Amino acid sequence: MTDKIAIVTGGSRGIGRAAALKLGAAGYTVVVNYAANAAAADGAVDAIAAQGGKAVAIRGDVAKEADILALFAAADKLGPLKVLVNNAGIMDRQSRLDEMSAGRLTRLFDINILGAFLCAREAVKRMSRKHGGSGGSIVNLGSAASVLGAPGLGVEYAASKGAMDVLTIGLGREVAAEGIRVNAVRPGIIDTEIHDSSGIPGRVKMMREHIPMKREGTADEVADAILWLCSDQSSYVTGSIIPVAGGRC
């Protein structure tokens, strides 16, 4: 048992992996959640161990309530939960709304919205002073798409990230007096694998001219903001959304 447990959903790759490594280096025992890629999750755990940290990989689909309950139950055995990074999310192939099926919408909303809400619910049950907890930090992963709308690319993805904005603001105020801080980061164009899902080869490079800083961001740069929001350095910050987008948002 330890006194600093952090759950990172979708923690095996991209921003989630970078956040997991930084939390591990900061002394948290990290629960690296993953949906399917066990090798990537084990790689993240090994990387945390290599830098002297502690971590475990736990499989679970955040679109399924039973999997979420099992994930949090497994984390309970390690110690009291102090951090949830609500990172798991998907982006589908480039499409207009009038080309989207109900199945596509349901799948994306189940993962990006329902999963995040259920994970936040379980975190509040454990962190809130109302429930006997000692407080904690929830960091949601938003996107500049929630501001820009992602027209012609994936308005359903943008809408799901808009839901993260509302969850952050509303829940942040709801549990502020219970010792829980709820914040979000809003990444812009970040060099991660998620862009491959859009089916647009080289999308990151193509977007550079549209970014005021003329470059894409890195997963580590987003993870630095996440770590700050989990730390005592942001002790008076809640219900806030931090853009990490090179000025494009």
Side-chain angles (χ1 to χ4, degrees):
M1 299 285 284
T2 69
D3 60 356
K4 292 176 68 175
I5 304 300
I7 295 175
V8 182
T9 65
S12 64
R13 294 182 293 178
I15 292 170
R17 184 183 190 277
L21 265 63
K22 288 185 182 291
L23 287 164
Y28 290 89
T29 295
V30 184
V31 176
V32 178
N33 160 254
Y34 68 101
N37 193 335
D42 289 341
V45 168
D46 291 344
I48 292 169
Q51 62 187 17
K54 298 178 181 179
V56 295
I58 298 179
R59 184 171 184 168
D61 182 349
V62 298
K64 299 176 181 177
E65 183 178 20
D67 284 14
I68 290 173
L69 295 178
L71 169 65
F72 279 81
D76 289 341
K77 296 177 182 178
L78 302 173
L81 182 67
K82 298 302 293 182
V83 165
L84 166 66
V85 179
N86 242 338
N87 169 77
I90 62 169
M91 174 189 288
D92 215 323
R93 293 181 66 83
Q94 179 184 25
S95 180
R96 289 166 45 101
L97 179 60
D98 52 11
E99 300 168 340
M100 296 180 190
S101 67
R104 168 179 170 142
L105 295 171
T106 299
R107 174 174 173 267
L108 187 140
F109 292 154
D110 279 352
I111 294 171
N112 291 14
I113 302 178
L114 179 61
F117 272 70
L118 292 178
C119 285
R121 181 193 71 185
E122 292 306 306
V124 169
K125 287 180 178 180
R126 289 158 172 81
M127 296 176 180
S128 172
R129 292 173 186 152
K130 176 182 177 181
H131 297 296
S134 59
S137 177
I138 298 172
V139 181
N140 297 318
L141 263 292
S143 171
S146 69
V147 177
L148 301 170
L153 178 65
V155 295
E156 89 288 23
Y157 175 78
S160 74
K161 293 305 181 179
M164 291 301 95
D165 293 352
V166 175
L167 173 62
T168 299
I169 296 166
L171 185 61
R173 294 173 180 175
E174 187 169 284
V175 298
E178 300 170 22
I180 305 172
R181 295 185 301 105
V182 185
N183 294 288
V185 292
R186 183 184 283 159
I189 300 297
I190 308 298
D191 188 15
T192 67
E193 296 174 358
I194 195 169
H195 295 284
D196 296 339
S197 305
S198 69
I200 306 174
R203 180 171 182 264
V204 171
K205 184 177 180 180
M206 290 165 52
M207 293 301 297
R208 286 176 184 161
E209 286 304 308
H210 302 283
I211 302 169
M213 291 183 71
K214 303 303 179 187
R215 69 169 179 88
E216 65 272 23
T218 68
D220 277 341
E221 288 175 313
V222 181
D224 282 335
I226 293 171
L227 184 63
W228 182 76
L229 288 171
C230 294
S231 74
D232 291 339
Q233 291 179 328
S234 61
S235 57
Y236 198 52
V237 179
T238 196
S240 296
I241 302 167
I242 300 177
V244 186
R248 182 180 176 266
C249 63

